[in-house]
Amino acid sequence: MRALLALTSLLAALVLAGCTDEARDALRPSQTGCYFTTGIGETHLTSEQAANAATISAVGLRDGMDERAVAVAITTAMQESELKNVEYGHDDSLGLFQQRPSMGWGSEEELMDPVYASFKFYEKLRRTDGWEDMTLAEAAQAVQVSAYPDLYEQWEEDATVIAAVFAGGKEGGIGCVKGNAPEVTADPELLAEAFAYHWGAEVSEVDGTTVVVDPSDAAEGWNRAAWAVARSYDYSITSVAYGGMVWAAGEDGWTEPNAEEDGEDAVAVANDSHAAVIITFAAA
């Protein structure tokens, strides 16, 4: 209570004194996690949730599913686990989709692997007749057969925005500020391995502190770039460049590099990224 009174007094004093922009910034809570922005809306996820959503999207695209299928999968995971890979649930349910080993979804170890769990979800969705004509919530229910089917609908709008960024090739649609990954690695080789596992394709190059991905078109490039940004905290990625723009952790999101402020090298990297996604790690 004393701390709250002291903060209230400080705020009042700053208002009376006409506080500066710097003071306001110091008092403003720092942003965390990842922000998704499209023409249809905005939403926010923690870095853990964003990484899991990126995995769900990558597996779907890898297996020939489209943006709408990804939106169905994300709608489902948002309701079932809040996009967290939890080790518990009702009865023997666990993982992102709360799939049950006893119901034939797979072993406990398999279902705790987000890639496998996503694959199994899409496998059943693909076998569901008419899912393309259902709402996202109806399609989710057709796969999950939940006792609470009405609860999926609340996540449809957010899932649509997230899928547009991760699967729809939305230019610069994701920006991440600060993360909360429990385990962090700064090994480009490990990121390359994760990319191959999630996408079913090899990166083009791993060179020192840089991973290069060559997409087949712009939509694919932005999908891969968004995946990399979402993995920025568990892999200590410092920047991602594509399409003449560069993302770096912070509140500025994706920006066009300026030669005077950022240097000629930064501009050159961004321009090169028209053809490739360039993922950069801090030097050891």
Side-chain angles (χ1 to χ4, degrees), residues 76-152:
T76 305
M78 292 182 83
Q79 171 56 33
E80 297 292 349
S81 68
E82 297 182 349
L83 279 172
K84 299 175 183 177
N85 197 29
V86 293
E87 298 178 350
Y88 55 85
H90 178 67
D91 292 331
D92 60 338
S93 300
L94 73 169
L96 287 175
F97 297 95
Q98 289 292 280
Q99 296 152 326
R100 298 179 60 185
S102 64
M103 299 301 290
W105 285 96
S107 68
E108 291 185 8
E109 182 179 2
E110 287 173 331
L111 295 179
M112 285 304 297
D113 175 359
V115 172
Y116 178 88
S118 298
F119 163 74
K120 295 299 289 185
F121 179 87
Y122 289 118
E123 184 179 56
K124 186 172 180 181
L125 179 64
R126 187 183 286 109
R127 296 199 309 263
T128 302
D129 291 339
W131 74 265
E132 299 93 340
D133 299 320
M134 300 177 186
T135 67
L136 302 184
E138 289 169 346
Q141 171 62 10
V143 173
Q144 299 295 105
V145 193
S146 170
Y148 306 98
D150 294 339
L151 295 181
Y152 293 114

Side-chain angles (χ1 to χ4, degrees), residues 3 14 16 33 72 108 110 128 139 154 157 169 177 231 241 248:
L14 287 169
L16 290 173
V72 173
E108 291 185 8
E110 287 173 331
T128 302
Q154 65 185 311
E157 185 174 337
V177 185
R231 307 230 76 90

Side-chain angles (χ1 to χ4, degrees), residues 13 25 27 35 45 68 85 92 117 147 166 177 184 226-227 230 260 274:
D25 289 340
L27 290 169
Y35 295 80
L45 297 176
R68 182 170 176 76
N85 197 29
D92 60 338
F166 279 134
V177 185
V184 176
W227 177 89
E260 185 175 329
H274 282 286

Side-chain angles (χ1 to χ4, degrees), residues 10 15 23 37 48 53-54 67 84 87 108 149 155 159 171 175 181 192 218 257 276 279:
L10 175 60
V15 170
T37 305
E48 176 188 6
E67 180 181 337
K84 299 175 183 177
E87 298 178 350
E108 291 185 8
W155 305 110
E171 181 177 334
I279 306 165

Side-chain angles (χ1 to χ4, degrees), residues 151-220:
L151 295 181
Y152 293 114
E153 186 176 357
Q154 65 185 311
W155 305 110
E156 288 183 325
E157 185 174 337
D158 285 347
T160 300
V161 171
I162 295 165
V165 172
F166 279 134
K170 171 64 179 176
E171 181 177 334
I174 178 175
C176 299
V177 185
K178 294 181 180 178
N180 56 359
E183 296 182 9
V184 176
T185 179
D187 187 342
E189 293 284 356
L190 290 179
L191 180 73
E193 291 177 11
F195 183 91
Y197 185 41
H198 291 191
W199 290 100
E202 301 294 328
V203 302
S204 304
E205 182 181 358
V206 179
D207 182 14
T209 59
T210 301
V211 173
V212 179
V213 176
D214 286 320
S216 61
D217 56 33
E220 187 174 292

